[in-house]
mmCIF file of all heavy atoms in Angstrom:
data_model
loop_
_atom_site.group_PDB
_atom_site.id
_atom_site.type_symbol
_atom_site.label_atom_id
_atom_site.label_comp_id
_atom_site.label_asym_id
_atom_site.label_seq_id
_atom_site.Cartn_x
_atom_site.Cartn_y
_atom_site.Cartn_z
ATOM 1 N N LEU A 121 30.028 103.682 -30.485
ATOM 2 C CA LEU A 121 31.227 104.302 -31.032
ATOM 3 C C LEU A 121 32.469 103.723 -30.369
ATOM 4 O O LEU A 121 32.501 103.553 -29.141
ATOM 5 C CB LEU A 121 31.199 105.811 -30.809
ATOM 6 C CG LEU A 121 29.936 106.560 -31.239
ATOM 7 C CD1 LEU A 121 30.048 108.027 -30.869
ATOM 8 C CD2 LEU A 121 29.708 106.395 -32.734
ATOM 9 N N LEU A 122 33.484 103.433 -31.159
ATOM 10 C CA LEU A 122 34.783 103.021 -30.624
ATOM 11 C C LEU A 122 35.660 104.261 -30.534
ATOM 12 O O LEU A 122 35.978 104.888 -31.546
ATOM 13 C CB LEU A 122 35.433 101.971 -31.528
ATOM 14 C CG LEU A 122 36.855 101.550 -31.135
ATOM 15 C CD1 LEU A 122 36.875 100.891 -29.751
ATOM 16 C CD2 LEU A 122 37.460 100.625 -32.189
ATOM 17 N N TYR A 123 36.058 104.611 -29.326
ATOM 18 C CA TYR A 123 36.896 105.783 -29.091
ATOM 19 C C TYR A 123 38.333 105.313 -28.899
ATOM 20 O O TYR A 123 38.669 104.680 -27.903
ATOM 21 C CB TYR A 123 36.389 106.521 -27.855
ATOM 22 C CG TYR A 123 37.162 107.763 -27.452
ATOM 23 C CD1 TYR A 123 38.048 108.414 -28.306
ATOM 24 C CD2 TYR A 123 36.970 108.312 -26.179
ATOM 25 C CE1 TYR A 123 38.727 109.544 -27.916
ATOM 26 C CE2 TYR A 123 37.644 109.464 -25.783
ATOM 27 C CZ TYR A 123 38.532 110.065 -26.656
ATOM 28 O OH TYR A 123 39.204 111.194 -26.265
ATOM 29 N N LEU A 124 39.190 105.609 -29.868
ATOM 30 C CA LEU A 124 40.618 105.301 -29.776
ATOM 31 C C LEU A 124 41.283 106.499 -29.117
ATOM 32 O O LEU A 124 41.418 107.561 -29.722
ATOM 33 C CB LEU A 124 41.190 105.023 -31.159
ATOM 34 C CG LEU A 124 40.541 103.857 -31.912
ATOM 35 C CD1 LEU A 124 41.130 103.720 -33.306
ATOM 36 C CD2 LEU A 124 40.690 102.555 -31.129
ATOM 37 N N ALA A 125 41.700 106.332 -27.865
ATOM 38 C CA ALA A 125 42.084 107.469 -27.027
ATOM 39 C C ALA A 125 43.509 107.338 -26.518
ATOM 40 O O ALA A 125 44.136 106.274 -26.594
ATOM 41 C CB ALA A 125 41.119 107.571 -25.848
ATOM 42 N N GLY A 126 43.998 108.443 -25.968
ATOM 43 C CA GLY A 126 45.252 108.434 -25.238
ATOM 44 C C GLY A 126 45.002 108.128 -23.775
ATOM 45 O O GLY A 126 43.868 108.140 -23.301
ATOM 46 N N ALA A 127 46.081 107.876 -23.048
ATOM 47 C CA ALA A 127 45.946 107.512 -21.641
ATOM 48 C C ALA A 127 45.487 108.695 -20.790
ATOM 49 O O ALA A 127 44.847 108.498 -19.754
ATOM 50 C CB ALA A 127 47.275 106.970 -21.119
ATOM 51 N N ASP A 128 45.799 109.910 -21.217
ATOM 52 C CA ASP A 128 45.429 111.101 -20.457
ATOM 53 C C ASP A 128 44.460 111.930 -21.280
ATOM 54 O O ASP A 128 44.813 112.410 -22.357
ATOM 55 C CB ASP A 128 46.672 111.915 -20.114
ATOM 56 C CG ASP A 128 47.622 111.156 -19.213
ATOM 57 O OD1 ASP A 128 47.386 111.139 -17.992
ATOM 58 O OD2 ASP A 128 48.582 110.559 -19.739
ATOM 59 N N LEU A 129 43.249 112.100 -20.768
ATOM 60 C CA LEU A 129 42.192 112.777 -21.510
ATOM 61 C C LEU A 129 41.918 114.144 -20.898
ATOM 62 O O LEU A 129 41.835 114.285 -19.672
ATOM 63 C CB LEU A 129 40.920 111.932 -21.501
ATOM 64 C CG LEU A 129 41.068 110.507 -22.082
ATOM 65 C CD1 LEU A 129 39.769 109.742 -21.920
ATOM 66 C CD2 LEU A 129 41.480 110.575 -23.541
ATOM 67 N N SER A 130 41.768 115.152 -21.759
ATOM 68 C CA SER A 130 41.526 116.506 -21.272
ATOM 69 C C SER A 130 40.062 116.740 -20.918
ATOM 70 O O SER A 130 39.756 117.670 -20.179
ATOM 71 C CB SER A 130 41.967 117.527 -22.326
ATOM 72 O OG SER A 130 41.239 117.347 -23.527
ATOM 73 N N ARG A 131 39.148 115.900 -21.445
ATOM 74 C CA ARG A 131 37.737 116.018 -21.108
ATOM 75 C C ARG A 131 37.078 114.656 -21.259
ATOM 76 O O ARG A 131 37.608 113.759 -21.911
ATOM 77 C CB ARG A 131 37.038 117.062 -21.959
ATOM 78 C CG ARG A 131 36.931 116.722 -23.431
ATOM 79 C CD ARG A 131 36.331 117.873 -24.233
ATOM 80 N NE ARG A 131 35.002 118.246 -23.759
ATOM 81 C CZ ARG A 131 34.536 119.495 -23.764
ATOM 82 N NH1 ARG A 131 35.294 120.475 -24.215
ATOM 83 N NH2 ARG A 131 33.310 119.759 -23.335
ATOM 84 N N ASP A 132 35.909 114.520 -20.660
ATOM 85 C CA ASP A 132 35.187 113.246 -20.683
ATOM 86 C C ASP A 132 34.297 113.182 -21.922
ATOM 87 O O ASP A 132 33.074 113.276 -21.827
ATOM 88 C CB ASP A 132 34.371 113.086 -19.402
ATOM 89 C CG ASP A 132 33.683 111.727 -19.309
ATOM 90 O OD1 ASP A 132 34.033 110.830 -20.116
ATOM 91 O OD2 ASP A 132 32.808 111.575 -18.450
ATOM 92 N N LEU A 133 34.904 113.007 -23.082
ATOM 93 C CA LEU A 133 34.150 112.953 -24.332
ATOM 94 C C LEU A 133 33.183 111.773 -24.332
ATOM 95 O O LEU A 133 32.029 111.902 -24.771
ATOM 96 C CB LEU A 133 35.119 112.852 -25.507
ATOM 97 C CG LEU A 133 34.512 112.766 -26.900
ATOM 98 C CD1 LEU A 133 33.662 113.985 -27.198
ATOM 99 C CD2 LEU A 133 35.614 112.598 -27.946
ATOM 100 N N ALA A 134 33.633 110.627 -23.833
ATOM 101 C CA ALA A 134 32.763 109.447 -23.792
ATOM 102 C C ALA A 134 31.538 109.700 -22.923
ATOM 103 O O ALA A 134 30.411 109.340 -23.278
ATOM 104 C CB ALA A 134 33.545 108.238 -23.281
ATOM 105 N N GLY A 135 31.747 110.344 -21.787
ATOM 106 C CA GLY A 135 30.627 110.638 -20.897
ATOM 107 C C GLY A 135 29.653 111.631 -21.508
ATOM 108 O O GLY A 135 28.432 111.491 -21.359
ATOM 109 N N GLU A 136 30.173 112.628 -22.207
ATOM 110 C CA GLU A 136 29.311 113.633 -22.820
ATOM 111 C C GLU A 136 28.462 113.026 -23.931
ATOM 112 O O GLU A 136 27.278 113.351 -24.068
ATOM 113 C CB GLU A 136 30.178 114.768 -23.363
ATOM 114 C CG GLU A 136 30.842 115.585 -22.263
ATOM 115 C CD GLU A 136 31.820 116.594 -22.807
ATOM 116 O OE1 GLU A 136 31.765 116.907 -24.013
ATOM 117 O OE2 GLU A 136 32.661 117.095 -22.028
ATOM 118 N N LEU A 137 29.049 112.138 -24.721
ATOM 119 C CA LEU A 137 28.280 111.477 -25.776
ATOM 120 C C LEU A 137 27.324 110.446 -25.183
ATOM 121 O O LEU A 137 26.200 110.281 -25.659
ATOM 122 C CB LEU A 137 29.222 110.812 -26.770
ATOM 123 C CG LEU A 137 30.024 111.780 -27.648
ATOM 124 C CD1 LEU A 137 31.085 111.023 -28.444
ATOM 125 C CD2 LEU A 137 29.110 112.545 -28.595
ATOM 126 N N GLY A 138 27.761 109.780 -24.126
ATOM 127 C CA GLY A 138 26.899 108.810 -23.458
ATOM 128 C C GLY A 138 25.660 109.458 -22.872
ATOM 129 O O GLY A 138 24.572 108.867 -22.880
ATOM 130 N N ALA A 139 25.803 110.691 -22.395
ATOM 131 C CA ALA A 139 24.657 111.405 -21.828
ATOM 132 C C ALA A 139 23.606 111.721 -22.882
ATOM 133 O O ALA A 139 22.445 112.009 -22.551
ATOM 134 C CB ALA A 139 25.133 112.692 -21.156
ATOM 135 N N LYS A 140 23.991 111.645 -24.156
ATOM 136 C CA LYS A 140 23.069 111.903 -25.261
ATOM 137 C C LYS A 140 22.516 110.602 -25.866
ATOM 138 O O LYS A 140 21.877 110.634 -26.916
ATOM 139 C CB LYS A 140 23.768 112.717 -26.352
ATOM 140 C CG LYS A 140 24.250 114.082 -25.882
ATOM 141 C CD LYS A 140 23.098 114.985 -25.469
ATOM 142 C CE LYS A 140 23.594 116.379 -25.116
ATOM 143 N NZ LYS A 140 22.478 117.276 -24.728
ATOM 144 N N GLY A 141 22.773 109.484 -25.218
ATOM 145 C CA GLY A 141 22.191 108.219 -25.651
ATOM 146 C C GLY A 141 23.098 107.329 -26.473
ATOM 147 O O GLY A 141 22.700 106.220 -26.857
ATOM 148 N N LEU A 142 24.294 107.777 -26.766
ATOM 149 C CA LEU A 142 25.238 106.965 -27.526
ATOM 150 C C LEU A 142 26.034 106.076 -26.586
ATOM 151 O O LEU A 142 26.256 106.403 -25.420
ATOM 152 C CB LEU A 142 26.183 107.867 -28.324
ATOM 153 C CG LEU A 142 25.509 108.763 -29.369
ATOM 154 C CD1 LEU A 142 26.468 109.847 -29.839
ATOM 155 C CD2 LEU A 142 25.037 107.939 -30.552
ATOM 156 N N THR A 143 26.487 104.944 -27.094
ATOM 157 C CA THR A 143 27.369 104.065 -26.332
ATOM 158 C C THR A 143 28.788 104.255 -26.839
ATOM 159 O O THR A 143 29.046 104.151 -28.038
ATOM 160 C CB THR A 143 26.962 102.587 -26.502
ATOM 161 O OG1 THR A 143 25.634 102.411 -25.988
ATOM 162 C CG2 THR A 143 27.924 101.670 -25.760
ATOM 163 N N VAL A 144 29.702 104.573 -25.938
ATOM 164 C CA VAL A 144 31.093 104.806 -26.318
ATOM 165 C C VAL A 144 31.968 103.771 -25.634
ATOM 166 O O VAL A 144 32.011 103.677 -24.403
ATOM 167 C CB VAL A 144 31.551 106.229 -25.937
ATOM 168 C CG1 VAL A 144 33.001 106.448 -26.372
ATOM 169 C CG2 VAL A 144 30.643 107.270 -26.575
ATOM 170 N N VAL A 145 32.663 102.979 -26.447
ATOM 171 C CA VAL A 145 33.628 101.998 -25.955
ATOM 172 C C VAL A 145 35.017 102.616 -26.118
ATOM 173 O O VAL A 145 35.473 102.859 -27.233
ATOM 174 C CB VAL A 145 33.531 100.681 -26.747
ATOM 175 C CG1 VAL A 145 34.578 99.688 -26.256
ATOM 176 C CG2 VAL A 145 32.129 100.095 -26.634
ATOM 177 N N THR A 146 35.674 102.896 -24.999
ATOM 178 C CA THR A 146 36.973 103.566 -25.046
ATOM 179 C C THR A 146 38.102 102.550 -25.003
ATOM 180 O O THR A 146 38.149 101.691 -24.126
ATOM 181 C CB THR A 146 37.121 104.547 -23.873
ATOM 182 O OG1 THR A 146 36.060 105.506 -23.911
ATOM 183 C CG2 THR A 146 38.459 105.269 -23.933
#
Side-chain angles (χ1 to χ4, degrees):
L121 309 177
L122 175 62
Y123 179 16
L124 301 177
D128 297 278
L129 302 176
S130 60
R131 67 185 302 146
D132 185 13
L133 179 60
E136 291 173 17
L137 290 171
K140 299 296 185 179
L142 298 166
T143 298
V144 181
V145 178
T146 302

